[in-house]
Amino acid sequence: MKTLLLVGIGAGDPDYITQQAIKALRRSDVIFLLDKGPAKHKLNALRREICARFLDGHSPRFAEAQQPERERDAADYRASVDELNRDKQAVFEQLIDEQMSHGEVAALMVWGDPSLYDSSIRIVEGIVATRRDFDYEVIPGITSLQALTARHRIPLNRIGRAVEITTGRLLADGWPQGVDSVAVMLDAKDTYRRFVGHGLHIYWGAYVGTADEILIAGPLDEVAERIASTRAEARERNGWIMDSYLLRKDGKG
Ligand SMILES: C[S@@+](CC[C@H](N)C(=O)[O-])C[C@H]1O[C@@H](n2cnc3c(N)ncnc32)[C@H](O)[C@@H]1O
């Protein structure tokens, strides 16, 4: 049997790592690292830092592979994601076949938590379905939304109310029905700007939990342009950006 651990490592600060994640990494013979190109080297540097800081002398080997990229601005978004996941599955299978022996445990250090806007579980399910000698476990991590709300010192939901977690792409279709709090991830297009003039409050954060962290909060009408320019500058400076935000009707709390 080969076992793959999908280990949530938290979304930025190495101290987000949980005791359960550390135990999982210590169980591992090999750690799979997917390289997402020079702009994102910092993310793998953080993974290595976590191993150096928390594995207490245990030194699994690292097996690196190139992360396939999704076709940007593809006409059919869903088809481009499906294709990306097929390519990722091929990379995972190659790592399992070539970098693991029978009886070994491998870990994939998943950014944040594996259940939130991450395809690892779906991909590994596809592999399990075709193999008898392979299994996997999921270890939860602190999501970017938990990091965001903690840094802004706000609850995610208002009392007794629902929250919608969505993407910039979906928010562009309009405010979701029946909610007063909307958490937005994967927004490359400053979609919050469309909601200026609607009396919303925004809590925005980029690179939350890292040394590059930037936080801005306030009435959307007052801070939207500052967020847009700060975001553009940070993206230019770092070559990439990861940011998310909570939009709330009727202000704080
Ligand atoms: C592919 S999703 C992965 C989410 C991750 N699994 C999680 O649990 O947060 C990537 C998106 O998460 C958000 N994100 C991840 N890390 C972040 C961070 N440190 N600060 C702000 N947003 C972050 C951004 O919206 C980014 O576009």
Side-chain angles (χ1 to χ4, degrees):
M1 180 67 81
K2 294 181 181 181
T3 306
L4 178 61
L5 310 177
L6 298 179
V7 183
I9 59 165
D13 189 332
D15 283 347
Y16 290 156
I17 194 96
T18 66
Q19 291 294 327
Q20 192 185 19
I22 293 171
K23 282 183 191 163
L25 294 174
R26 285 188 187 150
R27 269 174 68 198
S28 306
D29 301 290
V30 54
I31 293 185
F32 295 159
L33 283 182
L34 297 181
D35 188 349
K36 294 187 183 175
K40 295 196 178 167
H41 277 338
K42 273 188 181 174
L43 301 187
N44 273 349
L46 181 113
R47 290 179 168 92
R48 288 181 186 272
E49 184 190 334
I50 286 173
C51 292
R53 270 177 58 182
F54 298 107
L55 295 200
D56 206 18
H58 174 68
S59 35
R61 49 188 202 278
F62 288 96
E64 298 196 34
Q66 206 62 35
Q67 165 103 302
E69 286 280 341
R70 188 172 71 78
E71 189 194 334
R72 294 284 147 202
D73 298 318
D76 186 340
Y77 172 75
R78 186 56 210 257
S80 72
V81 171
D82 288 346
E83 188 181 332
L84 172 68
N85 286 343
R86 275 194 298 277
D87 292 347
K88 279 193 191 170
Q89 180 166 336
V91 170
F92 279 29
E93 299 214 61
Q94 194 174 3
L95 284 168
I96 292 162
D97 289 337
E98 296 178 4
Q99 302 290 341
M100 292 178 81
S101 304
H102 280 280
E104 281 199 323
V105 175
L108 184 73
M109 300 171 76
V110 178
W111 194 257
D113 180 78
S115 72
L116 186 63
Y117 287 113
D118 186 277
S119 297
S120 307
I121 294 177
R122 272 183 290 273
I123 292 167
V124 173
E125 265 298 302
I127 299 174
V128 165
T130 61
R131 294 177 180 227
R132 285 205 183 148
D133 59 345
F134 174 74
D135 206 357
Y136 75 104
E137 297 172 27
V138 178
I139 288 90
I142 291 180
T143 67
S144 51
L145 293 182
Q146 291 167 294
L148 180 77
T149 53
R151 294 297 290 133
H152 281 291
R153 304 186 303 180
I154 51 165
L156 181 61
N157 59 289
R158 303 191 76 205
I159 297 172
R161 302 283 299 170
V163 180
E164 176 119 350
I165 300 174
T166 190
T167 64
R169 180 182 298 270
L170 289 172
L171 186 67
D173 293 339
W175 187 264
Q177 294 277 311
V179 292
D180 49 21
S181 300
V182 178
V184 186
M185 304 171 68
L186 295 159
D187 182 5
K189 298 196 171 157
D190 300 292
T191 309
Y192 54 86
R193 286 168 111 174
R194 297 180 180 220
F195 296 90
V196 166
H198 288 65
L200 300 176
H201 210 88
I202 188 168
Y203 303 88
W204 176 81
Y207 319 102
V208 176
T210 75
D212 299 319
E213 176 181 279
I214 313 169
L215 302 172
I216 297 178
L220 183 62
D221 296 5
E222 291 172 25
V223 298
E225 287 315 304
R226 180 150 63 92
I227 293 173
S229 57
T230 304
R231 187 178 186 282
E233 282 160 24
R235 190 167 187 272
E236 181 71 23
R237 192 169 55 247
N238 294 312
W240 62 288
I241 190 159
M242 54 182 182
D243 64 324
S244 38
Y245 53 92
L246 184 72
L247 287 171
R248 182 106 83 203
K249 284 186 177 166
D250 305 327
K252 200 166 179 168

